[in-house]
Amino acid sequence: MGKGVFQVPQAVNEPIKSYAPGTPEREAVLKAYKELYNSKIEVPLYIGSEEIKTGDTAPMNPPHDHQHHLGDYHKASKEHVEKAIKVAMEAREKWANLEWEQRAAVFLKAAELIAGPYRYKINAATMIGQSKNIFQAEIDSACELIDFLRFNVEYMTRIYEEQPESSSDAWNRLEYRPLEGFVYAVSPFNFTAIAGNLPSAPALMGNVGIWKPSDSQVYSAQVIMEVFKEAGLPDGVINMVMGDPKMISDVILENRDFAGLHFTGSTTVFKNLWKQIGNNIHNYRSYPRIVGETGGKDFIIAHPSARPKQVATAISRGAFEFQGQKCSAASRVYIPKSMWEEVKEYVVEDVNSFKMGSPEDMGNFITAVIHEASFDKLAKFIDAAKNDSDAEIVVGGNYNKSKGWFVEPTVILTDNPKYSTMCTELFGPVVTVYLYEDDQWNETLKLVDDSEYALTGAILSQDRYAAAEATKALQNAAGNFYINDKPTGAVVGQQPFGGARGSGTNDKAGSILNLYRWISPRTIKETFVTPTDYRYPFLGE
Ligand code: NAD
């Protein structure tokens, strides 16, 4: 620390701009959108001070207009990944020993750059590259990323303040060292904020690392790197590489200095990475920290006392915003038979009122899904539901990939609580409803709990006893549990996010708990008057 016990600015959530017609922010983001859309960019690898164009490239296309060419990103070879590790380890000593307030300042500055001069660029990049409507882009790439950066700084100081008891003759101190090695951050396509947080949370705590963004998020990932550089992050602290994920992981996970994995993505990929780390355990200097937030099969359960309109709105927003591509999106719903007709009427009305198309047209609530593989997977499950005897399509069910990867928001009704779309994570605008007998409340809670995932879930009920029963019966069914709300929309500093079972290690992104994983505390005891005789009083005659 420098010469003072410094206090950081109090973290506050970034206010969400409305982008309503006539507002200056609407005009500004549309201008940024047009500019980006009509220019071609090349995304290099960021290794130390170098921006490397390898010549081995892949194209970037907006999911809602897949024939449009936004530019290309460069892919790493094995040698580039090795170089990134070397450069990170060379940067480590200086960064790890820099005073915390200097590290804090870099990330606080990054937050303000996103809140101000980079806001429309990062939002427009997220709208274009990940097909988010402006509201979804604003709450993610601007507000949530700003919140991660600001709140993590405050949490870091809280950790540092946590110190052991001392006595007058001995002073005990805890020093929160970064890990002895580098951290590997692997991020998903669906949140620009998560992509920014995965490498920056460990870096804030003094770590260096390699960040591998998703192939489908490189476009906004580049803006994040631009912001970090502008904020003064020293070269080599965060190195961004793209390319074959398996090759990159193979090189990184066999390195002796690999010290931690900060992952968000699907359950299968995470489990395989964990296994690979286990197989390499004898090679490492330290036991690596493994943090992974993974898939979900998030639920809504309505008690017979719930208000049908509220249940319907929780479904329409919870299942379909960002085309259902939130890890928290509702994808299985349990409704009492007596309530269904009314809920169905409202949901069908909502879905029929959704407009779908490019995010540039701000009247569109729904845009495209991320890529062809996702489109094809969703089409397959929708077609199966059309043919299976235990399922029917209530609304939606069409898809069209001629211009973009457009899948209509779809509600499936099933009388089989274990129907495939009640159990498999689809990660798209498809929600399945199962109707239960009104007097089977307790049995239905057991059904809800019986899932390999445990990320988010919601109960809607006017009956307090029923809400209490569900809270207890479903205590292990969700890491983020909502009462009378939709299961999406966690806010940093307010609802720490993460789930257990197959949904992750539940280290709660955007909370103090996550930051503990990126430090290795050293206890220092200093004795003021050092003993000079080994004999204790009990040895006396
Ligand atoms: P994904 O698993 O396909 O990809 C995630 C990352 O892993 C990407 O960077 C990808 O390139 C990389 N990857 C893929 N194969 C790999 C391999 N063999 N070795 C190493 N890395 C590999 O996930 P996605 O489609 O980008 O994101 C959607 C998934 O993420 C969903 O399952 C969703 O539930 C989950 N998710 C979870 C949370 C959470 O907080 N729990 C948040 C966001 C997304």
Side-chain angles (χ1 to χ4, degrees):
M1 158 133 33
K3 297 169 187 66
V5 181
F6 307 123
Q7 282 176 3
V8 295
Q10 195 188 353
V12 286
N13 289 114
E14 176 65 11
I16 300 168
K17 291 187 187 288
S18 82
Y19 297 87
T23 54
E25 64 263 21
R26 186 174 174 112
E27 203 179 308
V29 81
L30 284 173
K31 185 165 169 272
Y33 186 105
K34 278 198 174 61
E35 273 168 20
L36 283 179
Y37 209 76
N38 296 317
S39 54
K40 292 235 184 319
I41 62 160
E42 273 188 80
V43 184
L45 310 178
Y46 290 86
I47 300 181
S49 60
E50 289 184 77
E51 296 183 7
I52 302 174
K53 294 183 176 164
T54 63
D56 178 12
T57 60
M60 296 179 292
N61 314 96
H64 49 277
D65 186 3
H66 49 55
Q67 293 309 305
H68 182 76
H69 186 213
L70 296 166
D72 301 281
Y73 68 86
H74 290 257
K75 296 196 280 184
S77 67
K78 192 167 178 270
E79 288 69 36
H80 293 119
V81 183
E82 281 161 354
K83 182 170 175 177
I85 297 173
K86 186 166 171 282
V87 164
M89 289 306 291
E90 282 166 5
R92 185 182 175 279
E93 193 181 335
K94 241 176 137 179
W95 180 247
N97 288 313
L98 188 67
E99 288 79 10
W100 69 260
E101 70 273 14
Q102 307 292 343
R103 282 186 268 122
V106 169
F107 292 106
L108 289 173
K109 178 166 179 170
E112 293 320 292
L113 289 170
I114 298 166
Y118 281 85
R119 191 182 202 109
Y120 303 119
K121 184 171 185 183
I122 203 163
N123 277 346
T126 302
M127 291 166 78
I128 294 170
Q130 291 136 272
S131 288
K132 292 205 171 192
N133 68 31
I134 179 54
F135 184 71
Q136 294 302 317
E138 167 78 1
I139 59 174
D140 164 22
S141 53
C143 300
E144 190 174 6
L145 183 47
I146 294 165
D147 290 351
F148 273 134
L149 295 164
R150 288 182 185 154
F151 278 86
N152 279 346
V153 166
E154 188 172 305
Y155 297 142
M156 172 177 72
T157 64
R158 277 203 226 159
I159 292 175
Y160 287 178
E161 279 168 8
E162 220 171 90
Q163 292 294 326
E165 297 296 313
S166 293
S167 54
S168 59
D169 64 344
W171 185 9
N172 299 317
R173 306 193 282 274
L174 263 183
E175 188 180 64
Y176 294 96
R177 303 170 302 183
L179 307 181
E180 200 180 4
F182 68 89
V183 174
Y184 180 31
V186 182
S187 55
F189 78 83
N190 67 335
F191 275 88
T192 305
I194 295 178
N197 184 50
L198 294 187
S200 65
L204 174 67
M205 303 310 286
N207 295 282
V208 293
I210 320 291
W211 169 31
K212 197 209 81 59
S214 157
D215 295 348
S216 305
Q217 189 261 328
V218 178
Y219 197 66
S220 58
Q222 197 227 2
V223 185
I224 296 174
M225 279 311 282
E226 221 181 303
V227 169
F228 287 161
K229 279 186 167 277
E230 173 82 23
L233 185 72
D235 294 334
V237 174
I238 294 176
N239 303 279
M240 181 172 104
V241 297
M242 292 79 70
D244 174 6
K246 181 157 181 335
M247 177 278 289
I248 295 173
S249 296
D250 285 351
V251 174
I252 287 178
L253 298 183
E254 67 191 21
N255 192 285
R256 181 171 182 263
D257 292 315
F258 166 69
L261 172 67
H262 202 189
F263 177 89
T264 301
S266 58
T267 302
T268 313
V269 171
F270 182 59
K271 285 189 174 172
N272 286 333
L273 290 172
W274 189 305
K275 199 160 148 189
Q276 203 173 341
I277 294 167
N279 289 337
N280 285 329
I281 197 70
H282 293 291
N283 302 339
Y284 303 135
R285 186 198 293 269
S286 314
Y287 297 104
R289 301 288 167 88
I290 307 178
V291 174
E293 299 304 334
T294 56
K297 194 67 200 169
D298 309 306
F299 61 84
I300 292 176
I301 176 166
H303 184 259
S305 65
R307 302 266 191 261
K309 184 73 177 134
Q310 294 175 3
V311 175
T313 304
I315 296 171
S316 298
R317 284 187 166 175
F320 298 128
E321 283 186 302
F322 187 37
Q323 296 77 260
Q325 298 171 119
K326 299 187 183 192
C327 44
S328 54
S331 64
R332 53 184 175 123
V333 177
Y334 302 78
I335 296 191
K337 274 193 177 151
S338 65
M339 190 190 288
W340 173 234
E341 280 310 313
E342 206 177 337
V343 171
K344 179 168 107 179
E345 205 176 298
Y346 291 133
V347 172
V348 170
E349 193 184 316
D350 282 351
V351 171
N352 287 335
S353 74
F354 294 164
K355 281 174 56 191
M356 183 161 77
S358 162
E360 190 180 3
D361 175 349
M362 295 215 174
N364 289 328
F365 185 67
I366 304 289
T367 73
V369 300
I370 193 70
H371 46 46
E372 189 167 19
S374 170
F375 178 95
D376 289 346
K377 176 179 175 180
L378 291 160
K380 196 177 93 195
F381 277 93
I382 289 172
D383 285 348
K386 286 176 184 163
N387 295 318
D388 289 341
S389 59
D390 48 358
E392 66 174 272
I393 306 272
V394 175
V395 65
N398 299 309
Y399 43 80
N400 185 327
K401 58 163 133 174
S402 53
K403 185 168 173 67
W405 314 118
F406 287 105
V407 176
E408 260 181 21
T410 299
V411 179
I412 297 172
L413 182 67
T414 182
D415 53 12
N416 173 4
K418 292 291 160 195
Y419 182 65
S420 62
T421 61
M422 288 292 285
C423 305
T424 310
E425 186 188 47
L426 302 184
F427 222 59
V430 177
V431 66
T432 308
V433 176
Y434 169 76
L435 306 183
Y436 68 90
E437 300 292 343
D438 288 43
D439 61 0
Q440 299 278 299
W441 169 245
N442 288 318
E443 293 76 358
T444 309
L445 289 177
K446 288 200 181 82
L447 268 181
V448 175
D449 186 44
D450 183 21
S451 170
E452 66 173 290
Y453 295 107
L455 191 50
T456 76
I459 179 212
L460 287 103
S461 169
Q462 290 297 111
D463 177 331
R464 199 67 232 178
Y465 291 112
E469 277 160 17
T471 306
K472 198 164 166 206
L474 300 174
Q475 63 179 307
N476 293 312
N480 284 62
F481 187 69
Y482 294 80
I483 300 172
N484 289 328
D485 205 341
K486 63 182 168 58
T488 59
V491 174
V492 175
Q494 297 189 35
Q495 297 97 19
F497 192 81
R501 296 186 185 158
S503 293
T505 54
N506 202 10
D507 288 292
K508 298 291 188 209
S511 83
I512 198 166
L513 298 169
N514 179 278
L515 298 188
Y516 280 115
R517 303 301 309 273
W518 311 118
I519 48 180
S520 177
R522 173 166 77 145
T523 305
I524 300 173
K525 176 190 177 191
E526 179 172 353
T527 297
F528 295 130
V529 181
T530 310
T532 51
D533 183 353
Y534 88 89
R535 292 171 194 81
Y536 294 103
F538 77 88
L539 293 172
E541 288 290 307

